Amino acid sequence: MTIPDDQVPANKEEPLNEQAGANDATAAYRRDLAFPILTEEMVQRLQEYGREESFAKDVILYTFGDRETDMFVILDGAIDVLLQSSDGSLKPFARHHRFHFSGELSLLNSQSAVAEVRTAMDSRLLRISRKELRLLMRAEGDIANLIVQATIWRRIGINAEASSGVLVRGCAGDVELLTLQRFFVRNYYPYRIEEILEGSTDREDSRDLKFPIVALPDGEILVRPSITALADKLGITELPDSQTIYDVAVVGAGPSGLAAAVYSASEGLTTIVIEGTAPGGQAGTSSKIENYLGFPTGVSGQQLASRAHLQALKFGVHFAISREIVTAQQIDGIHKLTLAGGLSVYSRATVIATGAQYRRLAIKNHSDFENRGIYYAATAMESLLCGQREIIIVGGGNSAGQAAIFLAGVAKHVHHIVRASSLESTMSQYLISRIERSPQITLYTDTEIEKLEGKSALDLVTWRNRKTGEKTTKPIGRVFVMIGAEPNSGWLFGTVKLDSKGFVLTGAADGFENTPYATSLPGMYAVGDVRANSVKRVASAVGEGSVVISDVHRYLAAHRDQFNMRPESTLAALREVSS
């Protein structure tokens, strides 16, 4: 197999703003950023972290499904990076030469390898283990930045290959298929969809609950896998170490949680993030945020989340993805967080950043149409469902306004329904101005949806003006609901003080210490949308997540003697008490 010396196919060289996000589906591939060349001085520094090894031609260094793979720096010779074709054969993706290095996004986390890497000729390589890689990522800032940059752009290139990654096969329009697709997109894992169309024999078989299926590169087939099982299988989640007491456990990977994780780990605290779905939280479903500082042309919630996630990985944060937390308790000063499935995480301090979720429509059959016409996100993936259709946006906040403007660019027309009399008190003025000026958007104030109709999917929607009583019924099959906020705090009942709506109470009156983010339980803090009286904005969430770590540092320092117990005896005591 021969791979051109220019490393990648020529059609991968389109220019792109360097600020593109790692999971931006429209990102063109930047060869220069994906394949940087280390300087001789950099390689000399890297010698301290690795060992030189010689390999013959065609030696497989790692292959599909391997985890915790080492990084290889080419001293002499060359290595090939191969992807799997749709027919199962291997095809060239890149060739690394002298002073290039191997690895893509899975180099920074526990994901299974999505490529095979083998020597293209007799080669002399510098092997750097995962343990040493974590050390150099902290100590060698310029090299760490090159590695992060390269891994991002290589994953973009791999995702752009139509035949790369896992194969997902299922019925077009199926809720489970859409759930799997959303999971892969939000975790920027390479995949391809093979839809079973109406009238096909395979679709008849699907009635026996055989679909969707996920075919892995190693040939294993997963039938109707749960998101948790899939995350475990692909290494998208990193299961917590039962023998470790982390300095900080962050529950939730929205903007506030990711900010807390970055600041915590960058300041030397061992940190784990527990997240139920994917990094980004509610903000990750936003199509575009235009008033976030530092992004004059705007940034999608998913792009912002992906960069923060990568930043956290750079500093060594552990991520337990697709893991719901069930209960929390404090035993001898240590927090025990129990996850779904019985796993436990132990930490000296905890940051609650579970955010909030959009409320459901107050219509009894709304659940019949969730993911069959009713959606709670407006990303590029959902926009594919709206081409030349009339759609409805429900909500008066910034997220609803951003969704209306974004989807107006692809939909035939947007009907924007708001229960209040105006948008003035709930939406930024720049969004209001655009909505009012757009010929593609009709705003209905003092209005609410009254009826949803359809058989297998949503077909008809009826809404009513609350002042005049006038009703409108239209054949609409896409409704995007972004109303209000309900805190994700069910797991905290009986653990910390909550207000009447379920938001976490913090501060001097309710907290264990006189700081804005302290809850009623010592060592446990709350930030972002889940906190009572917080400002529901991405920037404020990031600010709270950043600032709270100073409180955590002070708490850990004040309890240093208590936490200096031998970890083995502490864990044994925790298990004995909790059993």
Side-chain angles (χ1 to χ4, degrees):
M1 180 177 295
T2 301
I3 298 180
D5 286 345
D6 63 353
Q7 302 165 342
V8 291
N11 63 355
K12 297 290 184 182
E13 300 181 31
E14 294 300 320
L16 178 72
N17 185 314
E18 294 186 20
Q19 297 300 315
N23 59 344
D24 183 1
T26 65
Y29 193 39
R30 279 290 295 272
R31 184 183 67 179
D32 56 327
L33 300 179
F35 297 96
I37 300 175
L38 299 168
T39 66
E40 190 164 349
E41 185 272 337
M42 288 178 173
V43 174
Q44 288 176 351
R45 277 188 278 151
L46 288 176
Q47 296 278 357
E48 299 180 15
Y49 299 92
R51 66 178 187 273
E52 290 189 18
E53 295 184 17
S54 295
F55 296 89
K57 181 182 179 181
D58 286 332
V59 172
I60 296 176
L61 303 176
Y62 59 84
T63 191
F64 306 99
D66 289 350
R67 298 192 191 181
E68 296 289 320
T69 56
D70 296 335
M71 186 176 88
F72 295 90
V73 179
I74 295 83
L75 303 177
D76 289 303
I79 62 177
D80 287 339
V81 181
L82 308 171
L83 300 180
Q84 200 165 47
S85 298
S86 54
D87 62 2
S89 63
L90 299 181
K91 64 179 181 179
F93 173 70
R95 170 165 288 182
H96 297 311
H97 294 282
R98 187 170 186 264
F99 288 2
H100 286 121
F101 55 88
S102 68
E104 51 88 47
L105 191 59
S106 61
L107 195 63
L108 302 180
N109 54 32
S110 60
Q111 287 186 13
S112 54
V114 297
E116 180 171 287
V117 175
R118 63 172 66 172
T119 52
M121 58 188 73
D122 292 349
S123 301
R124 185 167 60 93
L125 310 177
L126 179 66
R127 181 197 288 263
I128 300 175
S129 70
R130 278 302 182 95
K131 180 179 179 180
E132 293 299 318
L133 178 63
R134 292 188 180 100
L135 294 176
L136 84 84
M137 292 296 285
R138 287 181 177 273
E140 310 292 345
D142 55 340
I143 300 176
N145 288 338
L146 276 182
I147 292 172
V148 170
Q149 168 192 283
T151 59
I152 293 171
W153 286 97
R154 291 172 189 179
R155 177 57 68 93
I156 289 174
I158 291 172
N159 282 354
E161 294 289 336
S163 61
S164 69
V166 300
L167 169 65
V168 185
R169 195 161 185 255
C171 302
D174 180 66
V175 174
E176 290 186 62
L177 181 64
L178 183 62
T179 300
L180 291 175
Q181 185 178 6
R182 185 176 291 123
F183 172 76
F184 286 121
V185 169
R186 293 195 65 184
N187 286 285
Y188 36 97
Y189 196 91
Y191 75 101
R192 63 188 190 277
I193 294 285
E194 185 179 296
E195 290 188 343
I196 303 168
L197 302 176
E198 290 282 357
S200 69
T201 304
D202 283 343
R203 192 174 181 96
E204 293 298 315
D205 292 340
S206 71
R207 294 175 182 173
D208 297 328
L209 305 181
K210 294 180 180 179
F211 293 98
I213 63 170
V214 177
L216 306 182
D218 62 4
E220 184 176 358
I221 302 295
L222 305 179
V223 180
R224 302 185 68 211
S226 68
I227 294 300
T228 298
L230 192 58
D232 289 352
K233 191 67 180 178
L234 298 176
I236 290 175
T237 191
E238 185 174 352
L239 297 180
D241 184 355
S242 62
Q243 301 303 311
T244 296
I245 299 178
Y246 297 91
D247 290 324
V248 183
V250 179
V251 186
S256 60
L258 289 171
V262 167
Y263 276 82
S264 174
S266 68
E267 295 177 16
L269 301 177
T270 56
T271 307
I272 186 171
V273 174
I274 304 164
E275 165 57 40
T277 306
Q282 192 181 74
T285 67
S286 178
S287 55
K288 199 170 191 180
I289 305 167
E290 290 196 59
N291 59 353
Y292 188 77
L293 189 66
F295 293 87
T297 59
V299 61
S300 76
Q302 201 167 345
Q303 285 178 323
L304 190 65
S306 70
R307 294 173 196 177
H309 181 205
L310 289 163
Q311 201 170 8
L313 289 173
K314 173 184 174 182
F315 289 115
V317 174
H318 303 271
F319 279 85
I321 302 293
S322 188
R323 278 294 183 276
E324 298 287 350
I325 189 163
V326 179
T327 60
Q329 61 185 136
Q330 190 176 54
I331 303 171
D332 292 335
I334 300 296
H335 295 158
K336 179 186 178 184
L337 310 177
T338 303
L339 311 185
L343 292 172
S344 295
V345 174
Y346 301 100
S347 66
R348 297 175 176 87
T350 300
V351 176
I352 304 166
T354 43
Q357 59 186 325
Y358 294 122
R359 292 202 302 265
R360 271 48 179 170
L361 291 172
I363 301 173
K364 63 179 182 180
N365 66 338
H366 75 90
S367 60
D368 296 341
F369 301 111
E370 289 185 333
N371 288 321
R372 290 186 173 92
I374 294 180
Y375 306 94
Y376 301 94
T379 67
M381 191 177 83
E382 283 79 21
S383 72
L384 299 176
L385 305 171
C386 302
Q388 296 306 304
R389 293 173 178 264
E390 292 190 39
I391 68 168
I392 291 174
I393 303 290
V394 185
N398 274 9
S399 294
Q402 290 157 355
I405 293 166
F406 172 62
L407 295 177
V410 294
K412 182 178 180 181
H413 195 80
V414 175
H415 301 276
H416 193 158
I417 294 176
V418 181
R419 197 170 189 271
S421 298
S422 74
L423 298 172
E424 300 297 331
S425 63
T426 57
M427 188 180 293
S428 296
Q429 186 58 50
Y430 80 94
L431 292 171
I432 297 175
S433 298
R434 292 183 188 180
I435 288 171
E436 291 176 343
R437 289 178 174 272
S438 174
Q440 299 299 114
I441 303 173
T442 300
L443 179 65
Y444 303 82
T445 57
D446 294 304
T447 301
E448 58 188 2
I449 291 181
E450 189 174 73
K451 192 175 183 181
L452 303 170
E453 298 176 79
K455 293 181 180 179
S456 60
L458 182 64
D459 294 322
L460 286 173
V461 180
T462 299
W463 61 88
R464 179 179 62 87
N465 185 290
R466 298 167 62 227
K467 286 187 174 179
T468 66
E470 180 184 358
K471 294 185 180 182
T472 302
T473 299
K474 281 185 171 288
I476 291 176
R478 303 288 185 266
V479 176
F480 295 84
V481 180
M482 298 173 180
I483 53 175
E486 293 181 346
N488 294 315
S489 59
W491 60 282
L492 289 167
F493 281 92
T495 302
V496 298
K497 290 183 181 179
L498 307 174
D499 70 9
S500 59
K501 296 180 180 179
F503 290 95
V504 180
L505 292 168
T506 60
D510 300 288
F512 72 91
E513 62 182 20
N514 186 20
T515 62
Y517 311 115
T519 72
S520 57
L521 184 70
M524 187 169 282
Y525 300 84
V527 294
D529 289 4
V530 74
R531 189 174 69 84
N533 302 315
S534 63
V535 178
K536 305 300 188 282
R537 288 288 186 269
V538 173
S540 62
V542 170
E544 291 187 10
S546 306
V547 172
V548 74
I549 298 304
S550 63
D551 293 343
V552 171
H553 268 298
R554 187 170 52 252
Y555 173 81
L556 294 178
H559 295 78
R560 184 177 293 112
D561 292 341
Q562 177 184 0
F563 294 143
N564 277 342
M565 292 174 60
R566 291 177 63 243
E568 295 84 358
S569 60
T570 302
L571 285 168
L574 285 168
R575 294 191 184 100
E576 183 177 347
V577 170
S578 58
S579 62

